[in-house]
Amino acid sequence: MNSFGRFFRVTVFGESHGASVGVNIDGIPAGIPLTQEDFLPDLERRKGGARGTTPRKEEDLPHLKSGVFNDLTTGAPITILFENNNTRSTDYEKLRQFPRPGHADFVASKKFGGFEDYRGGGHFSGRLTLNLVAAGVIAKKILGDAIKVEARITEVGGNPDPEAGLEAAIAAKDSVGGIVECVVTGLPIGLGEPFFDSVESNIAHAAFAIPAIKGIEFGTGFAAAKMKGVEHNDPIVDTTGKTATNHAGGVVGGITNGNPLVVRVAVKPTSSTPKDQQTLNIASGEVETFSVKGRHDLCIALRVPVVLESIVAMVLADFMMLEQRRPRVWQ
Amino acid sequence: MNSFGRFFRVTVFGESHGASVGVNIDGIPAGIPLTQEDFLPDLERRKGGARGTTPRKEEDLPHLKSGVFNDLTTGAPITILFENNNTRSTDYEKLRQFPRPGHADFVASKKFGGFEDYRGGGHFSGRLTLNLVAAGVIAKKILGDAIKVEARITEVGGNPDPEAGLEAAIAAKDSVGGIVECVVTGLPIGLGEPFFDSVESNIAHAAFAIPAIKGIEFGTGFAAAKMKGVEHNDPIVDTTGKTATNHAGGVVGGITNGNPLVVRVAVKPTSSTPKDQQTLNIASGEVETFSVKGRHDLCIALRVPVVLESIVAMVLADFMMLEQRRPRVWQ
Amino acid sequence: MNSFGRFFRVTVFGESHGASVGVNIDGIPAGIPLTQEDFLPDLERRKGGARGTTPRKEEDLPHLKSGVFNDLTTGAPITILFENNNTRSTDYEKLRQFPRPGHADFVASKKFGGFEDYRGGGHFSGRLTLNLVAAGVIAKKILGDAIKVEARITEVGGNPDPEAGLEAAIAAKDSVGGIVECVVTGLPIGLGEPFFDSVESNIAHAAFAIPAIKGIEFGTGFAAAKMKGVEHNDPIVDTTGKTATNHAGGVVGGITNGNPLVVRVAVKPTSSTPKDQQTLNIASGEVETFSVKGRHDLCIALRVPVVLESIVAMVLADFMMLEQRRPRVWQ
Amino acid sequence: MNSFGRFFRVTVFGESHGASVGVNIDGIPAGIPLTQEDFLPDLERRKGGARGTTPRKEEDLPHLKSGVFNDLTTGAPITILFENNNTRSTDYEKLRQFPRPGHADFVASKKFGGFEDYRGGGHFSGRLTLNLVAAGVIAKKILGDAIKVEARITEVGGNPDPEAGLEAAIAAKDSVGGIVECVVTGLPIGLGEPFFDSVESNIAHAAFAIPAIKGIEFGTGFAAAKMKGVEHNDPIVDTTGKTATNHAGGVVGGITNGNPLVVRVAVKPTSSTPKDQQTLNIASGEVETFSVKGRHDLCIALRVPVVLESIVAMVLADFMMLEQRRPRVWQ
């Protein structure tokens, strides 16, 4: 469903070309300073406009509709609304007979019987990640200054120089995938819950809500599968739990071990490539050549770092609210 | 927490060397034939005893404690209990001062204040995957014969010939990681729920509950990050949603698209390597050389296929029970 | 928290004198006709203005912010927003030092450390029942025409002639309580879930979210405690489950039995009585005489029927979506 | 479903005449002393054997199957199992054609298609309240000594002298209903969560899981509906929140106000009256005279106090774990 988290409880709604997209966040303590301005830097980071990202620009102003009074959270649920203004829906209407490869058009139509709002991907649109970023801003406040959540793009189209990878894609006039890595420092030992709510479980759950993510790994991740035990094990070197290496990426047994949390996601190439593609014409039943119009990112991975940061912060804030407060040990 | 799923609701409990491990499964329809015998083949697949797996053998007999009457499910919650008989806890007691690298010993002790059942990993033990396999047997019955869930090991220690990879590890007297792939055929279009319950989200969530999993990917996964849009997109070729390629691994927009679901997990090398390791001696505060005793798998990945199948089946059964029955479209 | 329901999943937000109140409803099937007009009759029934109800009038126009496209539900979450326009917050600011007896002022201030939006009761205000009524309109559509949910006031101030009871209160210049009864006909046999989600459990849970409710009973309810078994038992008279009497109020073992569901709630007198009251002056620490200003209902029970109908419809819609669709019996 | 609570998470299972009944409790902190003996006093209070209660006696020994190590909780889920030994199922088999009035027989058969375990009420049996009592023992430990939860029967068959009420029923050879009241002292201000998790909502939810409960009220409850505002309002008399009267029963706005919590439930007469009854013969389709055999309580209300205490303690423990630990106010 459209909710996630237990303490830091996020519910998202909206469609790309509908009236609005928005998010409700329940469980937030009272007394946290919160204004519209607080959201702008991260929203700006997410915004299109740079090379390789969509030229569509919304003002993306977050409207605080509940849960804030005198610029402080009240303890009641916070609702943040983004109105949709700058939409060009006519781009999409004629496309309905061509379900775009890689997009949710075909499955959405099957699942919702054609009643889905198909314009711009509707509820499946990447525009809903605005909600995640807004929630992430609050999550980061809960984590506080001592915990730093920082993501960056580490690879575009297989190139560890993302700039060069992007240039290659622009030259090829095709969209391209990438890798985004998020590192969190300053975490306490003990976040994560057996059996089903490991740190990896909950971060992965939320990360796969970001459109275009097709893989996730922690620490050495897939490379660990090629390693021997003695190579991979991280020797504990002191009573704070510090390890000599960090192949585990800061999580052992699903629980944070006090070392930096390291998570990496694979972002597929933007499905809306400018190149011609083959797809089914629903009307004719024939496979035809087809070209996506509209405004799209060439490398959606470029916009993922702030979104990945946000979901990692959301999940960690949820665990922090549980772990720091609930008596895990009885006194 | 220790529960997962909405309709196919699984709750696990138990410790490796405690009285028992077990599982409660709520939401199962009435009238499904179910006997102890039904569990034995998959439990056998999970069991140790082959080369590279632990010599510890439990009878692993599933005791049906509730929810079954006259060899048929009743619609009430099903409880399956595995008694622990063949435990050698003394192996573990002296190890407490050496938190084993790669294991949850250190974080569990910090999180639960030393009150955790530390014997054999306690609640963090791989023995709890018995519960997943038991749940998976029921999940597979719900999926029915037309949907096939099949996992196999595709790589050991980086070697696509798993047998050779294992031999190399035995020769090196070290543990080793591996890759396990699960393919599901026969799925309908439309499983998965926006925004936070994508097929990938829920499978990843459950998969990271399996000890030793450090990465997961769908379809081409991490390789997609290196691809161009035209290469990666899967052209739809007919009205059943069949695609010419299956880079998406059967999931688009978080929803099954009718093509085979393909998921791959990275399994780290067994933390209990027979080799000497360095770790902290909690008592002395010094890093010392240390060697894990006890009975352990050299390549835990060898036992993962049936567990991965089980959790994939669990998640899909949950979605099937939602999708096939709830009116997604109003009539 | 501020969410309720599993399939018909309602999340409420907002404050009486904040920017808005609103509701998010997740899980609604696609293809249900839904327009702003559909909400107006029930919102009108809830509105103040009649004798004995508050003279505050909001336009109470429901703004559909997501989940509806071309006047049909899309299957995505529906958000309905009510802007707050007609507020007179200055009435409340000076009252802060006098926590109003019977209101949440004192406990809210303790719980949320003074950061709560105290104006007009803030998030505790009866104004949030707008959200319930809006959700109820959709719930009634899901129940369909064959299931009728009808509530009415049966007693005001102990008088089974509500009109007379109200006149007595007006004459006494005091607020007054009442009883509201809701009857549902046309229900199938089998709604309700063992062990914790009985029909009574879930209706009671939601009903006690309505401010001022202090008791709830089903069928003969409290009177049953005075009865003998032979008197109280309802003999089943035919294979449709029809019973000769309906002391059970249509629910046996927590499950609907095909007879009319009968539920009754006790509504306390409006806490904001026009009469002088004694309460603590937080500033002076003394008990002082105090008089509530602002616009208030003399008998809030008069506005409860449509709200009770709404929550009963919500709970039953949730059960219907589960029961009719999930395979309770395997085929 | 068969689970309840967020922190103090209870899952019940089992059937009256199946292999066992049991309960899993997740979320319990580590380090709480817990032995089999701790459960015996409350289990004894629940047990049949006194006048007016069933002569069936089980040993009712709680077997701790997980989550306890060295007589201390470990932080992992606790499973408590009660084996069923003393069952006389043949009493029930021949009754299937006569669905017992007031029992779940008819609705269970319709809901679960005849696959339900019908023996002794199966999963609907009052025997499952053993699980609630076991969970309550742990909940009371979490509440600690300063919070006292005490329930007693206040009325049998309408007689405020329960002994006399019971004698009357014995003389009449009929079963009889009653009222049970639970009072909790020592509670902090601030338990309960807007909007849907008021103290009343959650207690009522759990209370209606107890078989035979048909009504619940807080404080003056239904009597409040007959009162005027000035009569009903409880003046706050000091800064601890103490009120001059306690018509609210310790809960205002759904939140505890520091005064004693008072809750009362109506218990219907035991459906299995020794008197002859009329019911449908499913086989013949005719209404016939019928008499319940088996061992039954004449006044089930006599066994409710310890069960009501248990569920009240469960709900309050859940709130305490949330409220005392989660930062409701940011520092």
Side-chain angles (χ1 to χ4, degrees), chain C residues 20 23 66 91 117 123 154 156 158 182 186 198 200 256 280 316 321 324 328:
Chain C
S20 62
V23 58
S66 71
D91 287 353
D117 184 345
H123 188 57
T154 59
V156 168
C182 183
S198 73
E200 293 117 323
T256 55
L280 187 71
L316 293 173
M321 290 168 79
Q324 290 199 310
R328 301 316 300 252

Side-chain angles (χ1 to χ4, degrees), chain D residues 15 35 38 43 50 75 82 86 141 164 222 227 263 293-294 296:
Chain D
E15 291 83 24
T35 67
D38 291 334
L43 290 172
F82 300 91
N86 184 15
K141 291 200 171 214
F222 274 86
M227 292 168 82
V263 53
K293 296 291 181 294
H296 301 285

Side-chain angles (χ1 to χ4, degrees), chain D residues 95-179:
Chain D
L95 296 188
R96 288 205 82 190
Q97 72 189 95
F98 295 99
R100 296 169 300 165
H103 281 284
D105 300 356
F106 181 78
V107 293
S109 176
K110 288 286 179 188
K111 186 176 182 82
F112 297 110
F115 293 107
E116 74 283 359
D117 183 344
Y118 54 82
R119 300 167 301 169
H123 188 58
F124 289 85
S125 166
R127 183 156 173 75
L128 273 87
T129 59
L130 267 177
N131 296 327
L132 302 180
V133 173
V137 166
I138 299 173
K140 288 173 182 176
K141 291 200 171 214
I142 285 173
L143 293 180
D145 290 339
I147 298 174
K148 296 229 172 310
V149 184
E150 291 176 323
R152 64 196 176 86
I153 192 152
T154 59
E155 216 183 288
V156 169
N159 197 325
D161 173 353
E163 204 60 43
L166 180 61
E167 291 303 325
I170 292 170
K173 292 197 170 62
D174 200 351
S175 62
V176 69
I179 303 281

Side-chain angles (χ1 to χ4, degrees), chain A residues 66 76-77, chain C residues 2 10-18 20-23 43 46 56 82 84 119-135 209-211 303 307 311, chain D residues 194-196:
Chain A
S66 71
Chain C
N2 293 280
V10 175
T11 301
V12 302
F13 57 87
E15 291 82 23
S16 182
H17 292 225
S20 62
V21 301
V23 58
L43 290 172
R46 181 197 160 281
R56 171 180 175 185
F82 299 91
N84 291 329
R119 299 168 300 169
H123 188 57
F124 289 86
S125 165
R127 182 153 173 78
L128 273 87
T129 59
L130 267 177
N131 296 327
L132 302 180
V133 173
I210 306 173
R303 293 169 75 180
V307 181
I311 71 99
Chain D
F195 186 82
F196 284 111

Side-chain angles (χ1 to χ4, degrees), chain A residues 208 212-217 222 264-267, chain B residues 216-218 221-222:
Chain A
F208 280 115
I213 304 295
K214 295 301 284 186
I216 191 166
E217 61 180 13
F222 274 86
R264 225 168 287 109
V265 296
V267 187
Chain B
I216 191 165
E217 59 180 14
F218 293 84
F222 275 85

Side-chain angles (χ1 to χ4, degrees), chain B residues 121-139:
Chain B
H123 188 57
F124 289 86
S125 166
R127 183 156 173 76
L128 273 88
T129 59
L130 267 176
N131 297 328
L132 302 180
V133 174
V137 167
I138 300 173

Side-chain angles (χ1 to χ4, degrees), chain A residues 75-219:
Chain A
I78 297 168
T79 306
I80 303 167
L81 205 72
F82 299 90
E83 303 285 352
N84 292 327
N85 307 307
N86 184 13
T87 56
R88 298 207 315 231
S89 303
T90 48
D91 287 352
Y92 295 91
E93 277 155 31
K94 58 188 165 191
L95 296 187
R96 287 205 82 190
Q97 71 189 96
F98 295 99
R100 294 169 301 165
H103 281 283
D105 301 356
F106 181 79
V107 294
S109 175
K110 288 286 179 187
K111 188 176 181 82
F112 297 110
F115 292 107
E116 75 283 359
D117 184 346
Y118 54 82
R119 300 168 300 168
H123 188 58
F124 289 85
S125 166
R127 184 157 172 77
L128 273 88
T129 59
L130 267 177
N131 297 327
L132 302 180
V133 173
V137 167
I138 299 173
K140 288 172 182 175
K141 291 200 172 215
I142 285 173
L143 294 180
D145 290 338
I147 298 174
K148 297 229 171 310
V149 185
E150 291 176 324
R152 65 197 176 87
I153 192 152
T154 58
E155 217 183 288
V156 168
N159 198 325
D161 173 353
E163 204 59 42
L166 180 60
E167 291 303 325
I170 292 171
K173 291 197 169 65
D174 200 352
S175 61
V176 70
I179 304 281
V180 177
E181 181 179 273
C182 183
V183 176
V184 188
T185 55
L187 285 174
I189 299 171
L191 303 187
E193 295 293 308
F195 186 81
F196 285 111
D197 289 327
S198 73
V199 168
E200 293 116 324
S201 285
N202 287 19
I203 290 179
H205 189 142
F208 280 115
I210 307 174
I213 304 295
K214 295 301 284 186
I216 191 166
E217 61 180 13
F218 294 84

Side-chain angles (χ1 to χ4, degrees), chain B residues 6-7 27-33 75 141-142 321-322 324-331, chain C residues 6-7 27-33 75 141-142 321-322 324-331:
Chain B
R6 297 204 313 155
F7 295 83
I28 304 305
I32 302 180
K141 291 201 173 213
I142 285 173
M321 289 167 80
L322 174 61
Q324 291 199 311
R325 306 294 158 167
R326 186 155 62 110
R328 301 316 300 252
V329 180
W330 202 239
Q331 274 109 7
Chain C
R6 298 204 313 154
F7 296 84
I28 303 305
I32 302 180
K141 290 202 172 212
I142 285 173
M321 290 168 79
L322 174 62
Q324 290 199 310
R325 306 294 160 165
R326 186 155 63 110
R328 301 316 300 252
V329 180
W330 202 241
Q331 275 109 7

